[in-house]
Amino acid sequence: MKSLASIVLCAGKGTRMKSARAKVLHEVLGHPLGTCSIRRALEVGASPVVVVVGHQAEEVQKAFEADLVGAPVTFALQREQLGTAHAVHCGRPKIPKSIKEVLILYGDTPLIRSQTLAALVKAKRSRKTPVAMVTMVPLDPKGYGRVVRDDDGQVRRIVEDKDCTPEEALVGEVNAGLYLVDAAFLWKALERVGQKNSQREFYLTDLAELAFLSGKPVATVSAPAEEVGGVNDRVELARACTALRHRLNADLMRAGVTLDDPESTWIEEGVRIGPDTRIGAGCVLRGATTLGKNVRVGHGCVIQASSIGDGAQIKDYSSLDEAKVGKEALIGPFARLRPGTELADRVHVGNFVETKKAKIGKGSKANHLTYLGDCEIGAGVNVGAGTITCNYDGVHKHKTVLGDGVFVGSDSQFVAPITVGRGSYIAAGSTITEDVPPDSLALGRARQVTKKDYLKKRKAG
Ligand code: UD1
Ligand code: CA
């Protein structure tokens, strides 16, 4: 049924990055550069998306797979980077026979929008041509392939920067590197692409001339240079990242999210935020993070792969990683929720409290200076200031269980494994080493000794 597939070219080294890492591995707003084009291809329904890898193929494949879990993406190897046409040729065996059209994208154009790809599809189908491509008019065409048109305005051919005559170099319209091609035309044309150019490479851009010679010149769609410009060095990488960030921030604000300072707010693609949620300056929201509605996030919070329930408040400078926070919970300021933290509705976790693999029940509170690791805490528990779960014996981690309604006095330690039954009291300053049954009082500290008038007597000799 599916008739559209995509080939995304990611085999090049990216010499101008001056990096030991392949260009497509450098990150744009938290995602590997090369995956941006892939996501757009998936959005317009291309399946499969064949990624051509070569330089650092294994690392690239690993990073992309981790970033695109579950998507119909496969990989093809281009051992030697002999040019963009050769790269497409390497991807061909992974394209099913039933595919009618192939969307070809480059891995270094992270800002393309799926609307532009949809326009490309429309242009090709309505004009009934075998090839459609996107062009742009950048401020400076240097480095790009120039689009050479004949007197009738038809695309005659594309000339790479290094092969331009002085006259051709003056052409302002350039190839953006996004193509939609009839599969049958593509496979035939690739066999006819030669290496007669200054770089001795197989140029995919030769498709334009082959289409012209076949009597069916390419259809073109124009796009703004800010959207389809390539990333070739680290300056362009940073610019692309900023542009993408502002675009996503604007989308969120239009969908009902308040950003106090969009300039300083870093929200990665894939983060979901409900309406009337307000986010303070300098926040970073990464990975598979979900915020409900009416959530308030203070300034300088870093939230990674976490979910926050409706109406919760995450106060200034809190750090959350793989944590679940229930509705109307109150977190921070300066709280640190580490992986495996699961907080039920209306839990309070205050300043300088660290949690890890901690399940905390409805309405429980740990408001000050506390470490809760490997623990299960019931509902309505009050954890006093300075409480510590001693979860590690130097070899293994052990669990602390506190039943519903337990009251923990300040400065207490639980030497795990340990269980405190529901409704019990732990006296302040206790080191608890034995299980406590329900509804009991446990004291685990030295008895106070007061020596009356001791100092008065000492002074008197
Ligand atoms: C290419 C186009 C140029 C266009 C520009 C738009 C060609 C010949 N030129 O030039 O017309 O204006 O993009 O940004 O296509 N790649 C491979 N295998 C290879 C060579 C390249 O996978 O053998 C990949 C690269 O990893 C990169 C993409 O193809 O993602 C484009 O290659 P690049 O070298 O950046 O091409 P440009 O010189 O920018
Ligand atoms: Ca490029």
Side-chain angles (χ1 to χ4, degrees):
M1 199 204 83
K2 286 263 181 202
S3 66
L4 176 70
S6 177
I7 298 181
V8 181
L9 309 190
C10 292
K13 181 172 190 290
T15 315
R16 287 166 275 180
M17 295 297 283
K18 310 243 165 79
S19 173
R21 282 161 75 223
K23 173 163 75 179
V24 290
L25 283 178
H26 284 258
E27 283 190 5
V28 173
L29 206 58
H31 294 279
L33 169 62
T35 62
C36 300
S37 308
I38 299 171
R39 269 193 294 274
R40 300 296 86 79
L42 291 166
E43 273 167 15
V44 294
S47 178
V49 175
V50 177
V51 185
V52 180
V53 291
H55 189 75
Q56 295 182 340
E58 265 174 47
E59 291 93 325
V60 172
Q61 179 167 346
K62 222 174 121 201
F64 284 20
E65 279 172 344
D67 199 66
L68 299 158
V69 180
V73 174
T74 58
F75 293 82
L77 185 65
Q78 183 192 25
R79 265 176 226 287
E80 259 186 293
Q81 283 73 64
L82 303 178
T84 43
H86 177 254
V88 174
H89 171 78
C90 292
R92 178 181 178 179
K94 296 282 168 83
I95 300 286
K97 297 263 182 296
S98 58
I99 293 298
K100 298 269 186 301
E101 290 176 311
V102 183
L103 175 68
I104 303 171
L105 305 176
Y106 294 161
D108 64 352
T109 51
L111 293 173
I112 54 175
R113 294 180 313 137
S114 39
Q115 289 95 312
T116 301
L117 298 184
L120 187 66
V121 172
K122 213 172 139 201
K124 176 178 170 294
R125 291 178 189 168
S126 66
R127 304 261 297 275
K128 299 195 168 60
T129 58
V131 185
M133 56 180 278
V134 177
T135 71
M136 60 168 168
V137 181
L139 278 178
D140 180 4
K142 190 141 185 51
Y144 289 104
R146 309 298 201 279
V147 177
V148 178
R149 292 180 184 267
D150 69 6
D151 295 339
D152 298 332
Q154 303 288 12
V155 176
R156 176 82 188 70
R157 58 196 191 104
I158 294 168
V159 192
E160 286 309 299
D161 191 51
K162 287 178 178 145
D163 302 308
C164 279
T165 62
E167 201 174 71
E168 285 164 342
L170 296 175
V171 174
E173 188 189 13
V174 305
N175 170 28
L178 296 76
Y179 321 79
L180 182 65
V181 192
D182 275 341
F185 177 89
L186 177 63
W187 311 137
K188 260 197 213 138
L190 285 180
E191 285 165 19
R192 299 180 55 193
V193 172
Q195 288 167 287
K196 279 192 208 143
N197 52 61
S198 64
Q199 304 211 88
R200 298 260 157 271
E201 281 188 6
F202 295 94
Y203 285 165
L204 184 61
T205 44
D206 286 2
L207 286 188
E209 183 163 25
L210 291 168
F212 183 82
L213 295 175
S214 79
K216 290 196 168 158
V218 302
T220 57
V221 167
S222 60
E226 307 84 74
E227 180 193 323
V228 287
V231 166
N232 294 303
D233 60 30
R234 297 190 202 222
V235 176
E236 288 170 345
L237 181 74
R239 268 190 212 135
C241 187
T242 305
L244 192 62
R245 195 159 60 79
H246 288 315
R247 187 194 289 173
L248 295 178
N249 284 352
D251 288 348
L252 283 169
M253 290 187 280
R254 287 195 190 99
V257 176
T258 297
L259 302 182
D260 289 350
D261 181 24
E263 294 293 317
S264 70
T265 306
W266 174 288
I267 301 175
E268 295 178 0
E269 192 181 333
V271 172
R272 281 173 218 296
I273 307 179
D276 280 323
T277 283
R278 180 175 166 193
I279 296 174
C283 287
V284 176
L285 273 55
R286 319 193 51 183
T289 288
T290 309
L291 274 59
K293 48 188 181 199
N294 284 311
V295 172
R296 176 78 175 96
V297 182
H299 299 310
C301 293
V302 179
I303 303 178
Q304 147 99 18
S306 296
S307 73
I308 317 287
D310 298 345
Q313 287 190 48
I314 314 292
K315 297 183 180 176
D316 302 347
Y317 306 109
S318 292
S319 159
L320 284 71
D321 185 10
E322 291 178 40
K324 282 193 188 134
V325 175
K327 291 179 189 160
E328 288 161 45
L330 224 57
I331 309 299
F334 298 102
R336 179 169 184 219
L337 310 189
R338 292 170 52 203
T341 296
E342 283 180 41
L343 310 182
D345 297 349
R346 295 189 306 283
V347 163
H348 293 192
V349 170
N351 41 251
F352 307 107
V353 173
E354 174 184 350
T355 61
K356 186 216 74 174
K357 280 193 190 155
K359 263 193 181 169
I360 304 183
K362 258 190 195 164
S364 290
K365 297 175 184 172
N367 273 328
H368 332 266
L369 298 163
T370 287
Y371 173 59
L372 300 173
D374 300 289
C375 59
E376 229 177 280
I377 296 177
V381 171
N382 197 308
V383 177
T387 297
I388 290 174
T389 54
C390 309
N391 56 333
Y392 188 47
D393 61 12
V395 185
H396 300 291
K397 296 281 170 72
H398 301 283
K399 200 163 169 182
T400 299
V401 179
L402 306 182
D404 293 345
V406 164
F407 181 94
V408 181
S410 298
D411 193 26
S412 297
Q413 302 95 49
F414 293 97
V415 181
I418 198 126
T419 299
V420 178
R422 53 161 48 227
S424 284
Y425 264 55
I426 306 297
S430 292
T431 299
I432 301 297
T433 55
E434 287 163 25
D435 287 353
V436 180
D439 300 312
S440 314
L441 169 69
L443 296 102
R445 61 185 187 214
R447 191 173 279 278
Q448 179 171 329
V449 178
T450 306
K451 301 193 174 175
K452 207 163 174 283
D453 293 332
Y454 176 83
L455 285 170
K456 220 192 256 172
K457 286 177 193 159
R458 198 172 67 175
K459 264 185 212 154

